[in-house]
Amino acid sequence: MKYDLCIIGGFGHVGLPLSILFASKGIKVCAYDISKDTEKVLSEGKMPFIEFGAEKYFPQVLKDGNLHLSTSPDCISESRNVLITIGTPTDLHMSPEPVVEQLIEDYMKYFRDGQLIILRSTVYPGTTERLSRIFEKKSVKADVAFCPERIAQGYAIKELLELPHIISSTSEEGISRAKELFRVLNDDIIVLKPIEAELAKLFTNAWRYISFSTANQFFVIANDAGADFYKIYDAMAYKYPRIMGLPTPGFASGPCLFKDTVHLNAFSQHNFHVGNAAILINEGMPTYVVDRLKLKHDLRNKRVGILGMAFKANIDDKRDSLSYKLFKLLEFEAKEVYCSDPYIKGEGFVSPEELLRKSDIIIVGTPHREYANLKIDSSKDLVDVWNLYGKGCVL
Ligand SMILES: NC(=O)c1ccc[n+]([C@@H]2O[C@H](COP(=O)([O-])OP(=O)(O)OC[C@H]3O[C@@H](n4cnc5c(N)ncnc54)[C@H](O)[C@@H]3O)[C@@H](O)[C@H]2O)c1
């Protein structure tokens, strides 16, 4: 085989850091993806998105020839192991799209006997066993594994080397081959059955999403009572370690937490009550903010600025960001809405200085570090649910 590893979806947020790190460990990697635009950026030695620490490895692995970039699926047939990292969205009915199954069907002619096929995308529970059956039916003698990705976006280069890797497979051979592969990143490995590993991934993200929703609901309860949640939080957390698991409020969103909570809800026959409540609370935060502003202001006469459009601080990913939901609501209600983000180019985006000058109301959409030292005129109404400025938040 020409390559040790083919990564399908290899130009994405999960696939690219994995491709780079495996290649940096001397593994011959082919990153395969359908995005020709991203291939162009990568082949110029540039990263298509923020991935902290990638610059340390990326130019070198391209130069060494350990990382090959491809937009042709032929490389799948030329690889000993194949790792799948494509996106796994849900549909409008909150059901998982069977994209991984579709991909396997589409690329069936490229798979070979003796390959290890590793799912790294977050999948609907039971998918690993199902894929194993699909390969059997098509008489491809491949081992199928599910080894979930657990990095925080933007921090994969660091975390892939530090976090233990969960390994599962439908065969003993698959377990030992997946171990052999992931050991080069970190030899702290946990072996589970596929259903356990699939649920472990969904539970992890749903738990984080629920904990953010708890903080958000506490914020709303405190705010409705005219109290500053942050003052209460500081008192609760002061020298009291049992409260440390409670995050602080904010616009909890992004491409994974919400989607994985929806996956788990679909798997539990829509009986995942805590998850459902978390969705309503987190997704309701922009509406809550706008409703509270409407009690204080006639928004039809107000210019509102949103500082930060990415889904979380210090990165350039706008996927499923609640700042955009906020923008849509305000576009309907306010006289003018301005957006700014140091990492995202958007039509009509303005500099933070222009936004501060022109807006009557300023909302921190994303607490990017660049905003920490902005001087905000005290005559303006500042909405800082994240408490970036440390002054608390009462709406
Ligand atoms: N982003 C994260 O931090 C993160 C963390 C843990 C798990 N995950 C999970 O990992 C998976 C991937 O997420 P992501 O954020 O990397 O998505 P992404 O959209 O950034 O990357 C997916 C890549 O797959 C490519 N692709 C799509 N269809 C393809 C096909 N048929 N053949 C080849 N390439 C194809 C796309 O062009 C894209 O580059 C999802 O299941 C997600 O839930 C993501």
Side-chain angles (χ1 to χ4, degrees), residues 17 27 74 109 212 215-216 309:
I27 289 183
D74 292 332
K109 67 176 180 186
F212 291 135
N216 283 336
M309 301 304 287

Side-chain angles (χ1 to χ4, degrees), residues 262-280:
V262 171
H263 266 69
L264 195 52
N265 186 40
F267 181 67
S268 67
Q269 315 298 329
H270 298 274
N271 283 321
F272 183 23
H273 304 302
V274 189
N276 281 327
I279 291 170
L280 292 177

Side-chain angles (χ1 to χ4, degrees), residues 9 12-14 33 85-86 88 107 122 149 153 256 259 319:
H13 291 83
V14 166
D33 204 290
T85 63
I86 60 164
T88 45
Y107 293 152
T122 305
E149 183 57 83
Q153 193 163 313
C256 289
K259 183 258 298 175
R319 289 180 298 172

Side-chain angles (χ1 to χ4, degrees), residues 117-163:
I117 319 289
I118 305 164
L119 287 172
R120 189 76 170 171
S121 302
T122 305
V123 294
Y124 186 76
T127 302
T128 315
E129 295 277 357
R130 188 155 173 236
L131 290 192
S132 198
R133 289 197 299 274
I134 295 175
F135 281 115
E136 242 177 78
K137 214 165 123 193
K138 299 280 178 181
S139 305
V140 176
K141 294 188 186 67
D143 290 302
V144 180
F146 173 65
C147 307
E149 183 57 83
R150 298 194 296 162
I151 52 104
Q153 193 163 313
Y155 300 87
I157 296 291
K158 181 171 177 280
E159 292 191 352
L160 282 170
L161 300 172
E162 289 175 354
L163 292 178

Side-chain angles (χ1 to χ4, degrees), residues 23-24 54-67:
S24 78
E55 64 288 350
K56 184 175 161 201
Y57 303 99
F58 182 48
Q60 194 60 42
V61 290
L62 275 185
K63 204 169 143 211
D64 292 349
N66 278 348
L67 177 60

